[in-house]
Amino acid sequence: RDEKPILSIAGGKTTLVPMTEETLRARQKHDEMLRKFQIEMRARTVAAPTNDHEVKMQLRKFLEPICLFGEGPAERRDRLKIILARKEVEEGISANDIVSGNREDDDRDYRDGQVKETFYTEGPDELKAARLWIAEYSLPRAKSRTMIAKRKQTELENYIARKETKLKEYEAAIKEGREISEEDLEDTRMDEDNETEQEHNRFMDKAGKYRNLDLSSSQIGDARPISGCSFSPDGQFLVTSSWSGVAKIWSMPSCDLKFTLYGHAERLSDAKFHPHFDSAAVGNTEGKGKVVAAATSSADLKVKLWSNDSFRDIGTLEGHAGRVCRMGFHPSGKYLGTTSFDKTWRLWDLETQQELLCQEGHSRALYNISFQIDGALVASAGLDAICRVWDLRTGRSIMTLQGHVKQILGLDFNPDGVKIATGSDDNTIKLWDLRKRKAYYTMPAHPNLVSAVKYSSCGDFLISSSYDRTCKIWNLRNFTAIKSLSGHDEKVMCVDFAPAGDLVVSASYDRTFKVWTTDA
């Protein structure tokens, strides 16, 4: 029996007394508790990496699992600190030396090209067919859009040059003392037949209407907060989603309840109309029974599709591992994009109701998605404060838009196809130009987080909603707020423009949605 004796001194004599089993166990327990205490004390001062990727690489080198069930980055770093402290206490190896040595190895591997961030996975044949179809769909639309933009730019430049030339001629005539006829002065005035001046007149007319926006109606939408709202493509209907798990269809602008959509087991996060929704087919049971009219997303990890005739449940899209957030329809109406707290966005084929793509690329939960008007690009943004732009034809991430310091909640593509607006928890709205690959303007929009942003159909105006209980309409030609909409008692969750631009709807945590109209 392996027992260490105890030295005993009694009566001037020194003797060795064997340790009993009970004493030995007590000594071992004391040593174990002392060692554990030393490890815990040392773990508090160990300089462990803060980058989650570096933490995982350190754990891998110690032959430890890089992730345990239910473990987050903070818990993973604490586990690494305990391992480093144990190495120092038990083996006498400095934790700082271990960390610095591993970092040097990682840097060497990176310099040698052994660490690669980009990776590809093989996709199904259906995804390849979808990419080819999207390419054929988007290229003619992109060509038409760019030709129109070039024509307008050329007309604008010629118009400005012509007016400047005339003004210089009149300035010279005035200096020389020559008279200018009334007929010549007509050339400097507005030409109502000129397309450039017509567009300017339309812009000024809309700006005046938005300045005069007024509350038209306020409707209690549900017993719980309303999380989303969206107009139909023709503006005759509105869909709202709420935390009660119910979506509702309302007629506009009367705000009469037409349909109530049941089917989800958890709170709803978003509801959208299909871009080809046919309001004339509502109530008609012939021909539109299997055509998708709207989609709803929920925290129950599901997306449900609803029919165009009577808003019946005609399909469920399942696959996300976290609660589903915002979603968006492809301009063609063939595909649906969804975002989730599982850090992915997914592309679904609405005809087959099958998942075509599960796209990773964000380090934290994804919250919003928006498709370009051509259908070639899609933007995703989330709680990692990054917006990524993806090419659906190739599957590549072609651009990373970084600038926000907090999570991005609002996201929308401009109808011109080359600009993006993002709203963030840092209380700002950033306007991005994809041609310049950077933000061309940052607006300090609200005193609280920006929950949603939405472009008008012409692209010259932007509306934003915020947790400060207001919505603001922005003139994007001079980046000023031309109207602030106040009236909600709680934070505003979502906002939308009617396609015609004559109505604005806002949905709030106060369980109401409000309709604002430009009519006098």
Side-chain angles (χ1 to χ4, degrees):
R1 190 172 53 179
D2 188 13
E3 295 180 352
K4 295 182 179 179
I6 301 176
L7 186 64
S8 175
I9 302 176
K13 296 183 179 180
T14 302
T15 58
L16 293 176
V17 180
M19 291 179 62
T20 63
E21 292 184 0
E22 184 178 355
T23 305
L24 182 60
R25 284 195 298 268
R27 175 68 63 85
Q28 291 174 344
K29 184 177 181 180
H30 175 268
D31 292 342
E32 181 66 25
M33 291 179 63
L34 180 61
R35 186 177 64 86
K36 184 178 179 181
F37 177 74
Q38 291 174 339
I39 292 174
E40 290 177 352
M41 290 294 294
R42 182 65 186 115
R44 297 177 185 176
T45 59
V46 168
T50 56
N51 183 279
D52 193 46
H53 175 73
E54 292 185 13
V55 171
K56 290 181 179 180
M57 293 300 101
Q58 297 272 6
L59 291 171
R60 190 185 297 277
K61 291 183 178 181
F62 289 130
L63 303 180
E64 295 283 341
I66 63 172
C67 186
L68 300 179
F69 179 77
E71 183 181 58
E75 292 83 2
R76 186 159 37 248
R77 182 170 182 264
D78 291 340
R79 183 159 59 92
L80 175 62
K81 291 173 70 174
I82 292 293
I83 294 173
L84 292 173
R86 185 179 294 115
K87 288 281 185 182
E88 184 167 318
V89 172
E90 296 180 351
E91 302 179 16
I93 303 175
S94 172
N96 294 330
D97 292 342
I98 296 174
V99 173
S100 60
N102 287 340
R103 283 179 177 167
E104 291 177 0
D105 293 340
D106 291 342
D107 293 342
R108 192 180 305 112
D109 291 342
Y110 185 82
R111 289 193 301 269
D112 295 341
Q114 297 178 15
V115 177
K116 297 185 181 297
E117 294 294 334
T118 305
F119 64 93
Y120 301 91
T121 55
E122 186 176 354
D125 293 335
E126 292 81 4
L127 177 59
K128 180 181 178 181
R131 293 200 190 282
L132 292 173
W133 190 92
I134 290 173
E136 294 177 356
Y137 173 85
S138 63
L139 288 175
R141 292 167 63 90
K143 181 180 179 181
S144 175
R145 174 179 56 80
T146 53
M147 288 179 64
I148 293 173
K150 288 180 180 178
R151 177 177 58 81
K152 287 184 176 181
Q153 182 65 25
T154 302
E155 289 180 356
L156 177 62
E157 292 173 355
N158 293 338
Y159 174 80
I160 294 174
R162 188 169 62 251
K163 293 295 183 182
E164 288 179 346
T165 302
K166 285 290 183 182
L167 289 174
K168 289 179 180 179
E169 291 177 359
Y170 301 150
E171 288 177 1
I174 292 173
K175 290 179 179 179
E176 295 172 3
R178 292 187 285 111
E179 291 187 3
I180 302 174
S181 65
E182 186 68 23
E183 183 178 349
D184 290 336
L185 286 175
E186 288 293 332
D187 293 337
T188 62
R189 295 171 182 160
M190 298 292 288
D191 182 5
E192 295 182 357
D193 295 330
N194 183 276
E195 184 177 354
T196 301
E197 293 186 354
Q198 289 177 354
E199 184 175 350
H200 177 72
N201 290 336
R202 287 193 294 268
F203 167 80
M204 295 302 294
D205 181 58
K206 285 188 176 181
K209 288 184 175 180
Y210 288 143
R211 287 191 185 96
N212 296 323
L213 268 177
D214 195 14
L215 180 62
S216 171
S217 60
S218 179
Q219 177 71 40
I220 297 177
D222 201 83
R224 298 201 64 194
I226 300 178
S227 56
C229 60
S230 177
F231 279 105
S232 63
D234 57 6
Q236 295 187 22
F237 290 94
L238 175 76
V239 60
T240 59
S241 57
S242 76
W243 283 11
S244 66
V246 175
K248 295 181 180 181
I249 308 296
W250 310 80
S251 64
M252 287 288 112
S254 62
C255 296
D256 294 329
L257 178 61
K258 294 299 183 181
F259 299 92
T260 302
L261 313 183
Y262 299 97
H264 288 283
E266 288 284 347
R267 63 185 182 275
L268 298 188
S269 52
D270 199 12
K272 289 284 195 313
F273 275 106
H274 191 278
H276 299 159
F277 168 73
D278 184 7
S279 60
V282 176
N284 184 4
T285 57
E286 297 181 2
K288 295 286 186 177
K290 294 184 179 180
V291 177
V292 176
T296 54
S297 58
S298 170
D300 63 6
L301 318 186
K302 299 176 183 178
V303 175
K304 284 193 174 291
L305 307 177
W306 308 88
S307 67
N308 202 146
D309 58 351
S310 57
F311 290 96
R312 293 178 294 105
D313 184 354
I314 58 173
T316 303
L317 309 180
E318 298 184 72
H320 279 294
R323 68 182 177 98
V324 187
C325 299
R326 302 295 188 191
M327 56 187 177
F329 282 97
H330 189 268
S332 67
K334 284 176 63 68
Y335 308 104
L336 177 71
T338 57
T339 59
S340 170
F341 267 55
D342 63 8
K343 306 178 185 179
T344 69
W345 67 267
R346 303 187 187 221
L347 188 68
W348 307 83
D349 189 326
L350 296 179
E351 294 181 1
T352 62
Q353 298 185 11
Q354 298 296 317
E355 178 187 308
L356 297 177
L357 173 67
C358 175
Q359 182 64 64
E360 300 175 338
H362 288 264
S363 60
R364 297 189 65 186
L366 265 175
Y367 189 79
N368 215 328
I369 190 170
S370 180
F371 287 91
Q372 185 201 33
I373 192 170
D374 298 338
L377 306 179
V378 62
S380 61
L383 308 191
D384 57 0
I386 292 175
C387 176
R388 286 187 179 273
V389 182
W390 310 82
D391 190 337
L392 291 172
R393 300 163 295 184
T394 63
R396 293 178 179 271
S397 173
I398 61 173
M399 207 172 301
T400 302
L401 306 179
Q402 298 184 6
H404 285 292
V405 297
K406 290 187 178 181
Q407 57 193 12
I408 299 176
L409 302 178
L411 173 66
D412 196 29
F413 248 109
N414 193 303
D416 67 7
V418 296
K419 298 185 183 73
I420 290 176
T422 55
S424 170
D425 194 4
D426 60 13
N427 308 347
T428 67
I429 296 174
K430 286 187 178 292
L431 304 175
W432 310 83
D433 192 325
L434 302 187
R435 298 164 297 186
K436 299 178 181 179
R437 306 177 71 90
K438 64 178 182 179
Y440 66 92
Y441 202 83
T442 300
M443 298 187 295
H446 294 269
N448 209 327
L449 70 84
V450 181
S451 57
V453 292
K454 181 72 176 180
Y455 280 103
S456 63
S457 57
C458 63
D460 291 323
F461 301 94
L462 181 79
I463 189 168
S464 62
S465 61
S466 170
Y467 279 16
D468 66 0
R469 307 179 184 181
T470 68
C471 301
K472 290 184 180 180
I473 298 180
W474 303 85
N475 178 350
L476 297 183
R477 294 193 178 184
N478 57 14
F479 310 110
T480 58
I482 61 177
K483 184 67 175 181
S484 179
L485 307 177
S486 302
H488 284 290
D489 297 327
E490 289 289 346
K491 53 193 177 186
V492 185
M493 310 284 280
C494 191
V495 69
D496 193 21
F497 271 118
D502 57 337
L503 297 177
V504 169
V505 64
S506 56
S508 171
Y509 193 83
D510 63 11
R511 302 173 297 141
T512 69
F513 69 88
K514 298 184 184 296
V515 179
W516 315 79
T517 181
T518 59
D519 295 336

